[in-house]
Amino acid sequence: MKTIKQALLGATSALVLFTAAPNLAKADELTLCWAAWDPANALVELSKDFTAQSGTTMKFEFVPWPNFADRILNELNSGGKLCDLLIGDSQWLGGSAENGYYVKLNDFFDKEGIKMSDFADAAVNAYATWPKGTPNYWALPAMGDANAWFYRKDWFAKPEIQAEFKQKYGRDLAAPATWDELKQVAEFFNGRKMDGKKVYGAAIFTERASEGITMGASSALYPYGFKYENTPGKYDMEGAVNSPDAVAGLEAYKALYKCCTPPGYTDAYMGESLDAFKSGQVAMAMNWFAFFPGLYKDEKVGGDKIGFFVNPKEKVAASTLGGQGISVVANTDNMEGALAYIKWFAQPDVQKKWWSLGGYAVHKAVLTDPSFPESQPFAADFLVAMNQVQDFWQEPSYAILLQAMQKRLHDYVVADKGTAKEALDGLVNDWTEVFKDDGKL
């Protein structure tokens, strides 16, 4: 199999990128703000090419995920000048557009020949547009992502494990394709001794403070049929948010939490999921595609020991959207330089290198390359996931909407308060109040 660099870059070198690059406007210094995680490190490496071509020094402000929203949104709200460029969550688009925090990029894209049709449709809709469904662009798609799964392929492959599973369930042990199969496999491994120690079935998201349990539970809710509205854009949530299918999805998530997660796993998100898997505590774990390159390289659990699978379906195939677009902060003092960075980043060759370094490019020149599905062991699943993603509200009031869902889900799943139907009925009431306050109901 070709290496990813061979597959996507071929003979392209930094020198070729330099000589082929457009003339770039110069700003002495630019600060790019993002979350602190593996892809951010890849972007630092990638941006060295921009500095070499433009003479602009790149600075980076990377904030740990639990503090990212509070830190950066406070910066935007206060009119601060820390960030010239911002890779912000998709949910921030509505508020940042309507509050004038981001530069609208339509005229710039037209002038520079940057076409949104060159990027994956789902990514453009999720990471660039506001209002949704309109060609109003406030960001360039930068980092495709979705919630997916990884598993101990070496444990699954053991002949005695395979034989026992088939005798018990009448099918071969493999990466789960449905949520029913996921729970079955988790129960099979839960409490079992593997590599000399007791293990658990799965690590999932239960974190309360920011977004964790919502991102985790929606990975069950969406496949079971949860919808935010009966009619897009009408905020008619009754019978969608709390439908029988949505109730079944939330019950399935709680059942997986109760049966098969490690002890004390009541407030877990990205880091805890990674730790549980890397330490050999669990057979399977959910997390964002962004972490998969690092997991595959891990000496203890990567390589031949790890496998990947897209979020299991149930009634429909669906994955929880992650990822972000890159925006120019309207308050920047380096507008020309910030726009030059966007122009540079949008180039197909730069996007190919971005993927090769561990960033998740969503440019069609990368995704439609015939060699892409084989370029990484999780690349084919990434293509599937990005064609079935669903996202949380991107409304200006998204933070209030999110905190309501966080509380309702955590109270039900982790704290054992009430029923799934009561939790979702309460969520409809919470959200109805928010949208009434916003004048949308």
Side-chain angles (χ1 to χ4, degrees):
M1 184 171 65
K2 289 184 177 180
T3 67
I4 189 167
K5 187 172 183 180
Q6 291 170 330
L8 294 181
L9 295 180
T12 302
S13 66
L15 178 62
V16 173
L17 287 174
F18 180 89
T19 56
N23 292 327
L24 298 174
K26 180 178 179 180
D28 291 335
E29 185 175 278
L30 290 169
T31 297
L32 188 154
C33 298
W34 199 10
W37 60 335
D38 291 352
N41 300 326
L43 189 65
V44 172
E45 184 64 27
L46 180 71
S47 297
K48 291 177 182 177
D49 289 345
F50 176 76
T51 295
Q53 295 166 33
S54 67
T56 300
T57 299
M58 292 299 299
K59 295 179 64 179
F60 300 91
E61 182 73 17
F62 297 146
V63 183
W65 271 112
N67 312 109
F68 181 47
D70 284 347
R71 172 73 177 89
I72 300 302
L73 291 177
N74 284 338
E75 175 72 18
L76 294 175
N77 290 335
S78 66
K81 291 184 174 291
L82 172 65
C83 311
D84 301 298
L85 294 155
L86 171 59
I87 301 183
D89 260 349
S90 58
Q91 292 96 337
W92 302 0
L93 276 172
S96 295
E98 293 190 11
N99 291 318
Y101 299 152
Y102 290 170
V103 174
K104 188 176 181 182
L105 296 171
N106 288 58
D107 291 345
F108 173 70
F109 287 166
D110 289 344
K111 176 185 174 185
E112 300 297 342
I114 298 171
K115 299 178 181 177
M116 289 295 95
S117 59
D118 288 340
F119 293 82
D121 294 343
V124 172
N125 183 65
Y127 306 144
T129 65
W130 184 262
K132 293 292 99 182
T134 68
N136 294 285
Y137 305 121
W138 304 90
L140 182 85
M143 173 73 190
D145 206 0
N147 199 20
W149 297 78
F150 39 98
Y151 69 102
R152 285 299 297 266
K153 190 175 181 181
D154 55 337
W155 294 357
F156 279 49
K158 290 180 181 293
E160 66 275 18
I161 294 292
Q162 284 277 341
E164 183 182 342
F165 185 88
K166 187 158 190 176
Q167 183 179 18
K168 186 172 183 178
Y169 295 109
R171 65 181 182 88
D172 291 335
L173 175 60
T178 68
W179 269 82
D180 287 339
E181 290 181 3
L182 179 69
K183 185 168 184 285
Q184 201 176 72
V185 173
E187 288 175 326
F188 177 77
F189 278 102
N190 199 66
R192 183 177 295 274
K193 274 202 168 183
M194 300 298 299
D195 297 338
K197 71 177 184 180
K198 182 179 179 180
V199 303
Y200 300 90
I204 61 176
F205 299 158
T206 60
E207 181 262 2
R208 166 69 179 85
S210 63
E211 64 173 18
I213 197 165
T214 297
M215 298 298 104
S218 61
S219 293
L221 288 166
Y222 295 151
Y224 273 84
F226 171 97
K227 298 289 184 185
Y228 292 95
E229 305 161 286
N230 290 295
T231 311
K234 298 296 184 182
Y235 306 98
D236 50 350
M237 298 169 286
E238 180 66 40
V241 169
N242 56 353
S243 69
D245 287 337
V247 169
L250 186 53
E251 289 173 341
Y253 195 74
K254 179 171 182 173
L256 184 61
Y257 167 71
K258 289 294 184 181
C259 81
C260 305
T261 54
Y265 206 76
T266 60
D267 194 33
Y269 195 19
M270 294 178 270
E272 290 78 10
S273 167
L274 295 171
D275 290 345
F277 189 81
K278 290 180 179 180
S279 63
Q281 287 187 71
V282 294
M284 301 179 291
M286 66 163 43
N287 221 313
W288 304 104
F289 274 99
F291 295 107
F292 289 11
L295 283 165
Y296 186 65
K297 294 174 184 176
D298 188 278
E299 292 183 0
K300 291 184 178 179
V301 298
D304 293 339
K305 294 180 180 179
I306 194 171
F308 304 91
F309 60 98
V310 75
N311 191 51
K313 64 182 180 180
E314 197 61 31
K315 293 192 71 173
V316 297
S319 297
T320 298
L321 181 79
Q324 302 88 28
I326 182 169
S327 298
V328 175
V329 178
N331 208 29
T332 179
D333 290 329
N334 300 314
M335 185 67 70
E336 284 192 22
L339 290 170
Y341 188 93
I342 298 288
K343 179 180 179 179
W344 167 80
F345 187 75
Q347 297 174 86
D349 284 343
V350 174
Q351 290 285 301
K352 290 177 181 180
K353 188 169 183 179
W354 175 223
W355 170 253
S356 75
L357 291 171
Y360 279 80
V362 288
H363 197 290
K364 290 177 182 177
V366 179
L367 301 182
T368 61
D369 188 300
S371 64
F372 181 82
E374 300 297 325
S375 64
Q376 289 279 21
F378 41 79
D381 284 337
F382 177 65
L383 287 179
V384 172
M386 289 306 295
N387 282 318
Q388 62 184 41
V389 286
Q390 297 186 37
D391 196 16
F392 189 75
W393 297 106
Q394 292 188 6
E395 296 285 328
S397 295
Y398 101 92
I400 304 171
L401 299 166
L402 179 59
Q403 283 305 307
M405 191 166 188
Q406 284 285 107
K407 184 179 189 306
R408 294 290 183 182
L409 296 187
H410 200 274
D411 282 354
Y412 168 68
V413 173
V414 177
D416 279 327
K417 295 180 180 179
T419 66
K421 179 66 161 60
E422 289 169 344
L424 295 174
D425 285 347
L427 187 57
V428 171
N429 292 335
D430 296 338
W431 286 353
T432 297
E433 184 176 341
V434 174
F435 287 126
K436 282 183 177 177
D437 288 345
D438 288 348
K440 296 184 175 180
L441 281 175

